[in-house]
Amino acid sequence: MDFRSRLREEIEYSGLLYKEVAAKAGITKRTMDSYVGTRGCMPSADIAVKLAQVLGVSVEYLVTGNGQENTISKKDQHIISCLKKLPPHERNALEQYIETLAQD
């Protein structure tokens, strides 16, 4: 797996859109497309650091595949993605329910 594939995978796991990751990393959507598109350009070190921070992984993992990858499981990422789609009042109610369950 190469940088482009790992980046795409981590973005998918994050539940964010490419444009959201780009905005959080301080780059344009077009620049992001150059990293995840068929050309698969490699970003500069400072941009790679920002992307890794946004995605919660190490730069080493994104670049080489070694090191710390996202510690949240795929199943948990799916749950988080679903939660993000809920309206705020439903999300708050569910959060309270989960906190109650976790106390037991």
Side-chain angles (χ1 to χ4, degrees):
M1 191 182 303
D2 59 2
F3 174 85
R4 177 181 67 97
S5 300
R6 283 186 292 277
L7 180 60
R8 291 175 80 165
E9 186 175 80
E10 290 302 323
I11 292 171
E12 181 181 322
Y13 292 160
S14 76
L16 297 171
L17 300 172
Y18 289 166
K19 67 180 181 180
E20 292 172 317
V21 174
K24 290 178 182 230
I27 60 174
T28 66
K29 169 72 167 64
R30 187 174 186 172
T31 300
M32 174 63 76
D33 290 342
S34 73
Y35 303 146
V36 296
T38 55
R39 289 184 36 217
C41 297
M42 183 67 86
S44 62
D46 61 321
I47 299 300
V49 168
K50 290 176 184 179
L51 290 170
Q53 289 172 340
V54 168
L55 297 170
V57 298
S58 70
V59 177
E60 179 183 6
Y61 173 73
L62 281 180
V63 175
T64 68
N66 299 320
Q68 176 192 13
E69 63 180 295
N70 202 326
T71 57
I72 299 174
S73 71
K74 291 180 182 182
K75 187 174 185 177
D76 290 345
Q77 285 289 344
H78 176 70
I79 292 169
I80 291 168
S81 177
C82 291
L83 286 173
K84 289 180 179 181
K85 296 175 185 175
L86 293 175
H89 68 281
E90 289 181 8
R91 195 180 317 171
N92 291 338
L94 190 54
E95 181 181 353
Q96 291 173 357
Y97 177 69
I98 292 169
E99 287 174 355
T100 300
L101 287 175
Q103 291 175 359
D104 294 339

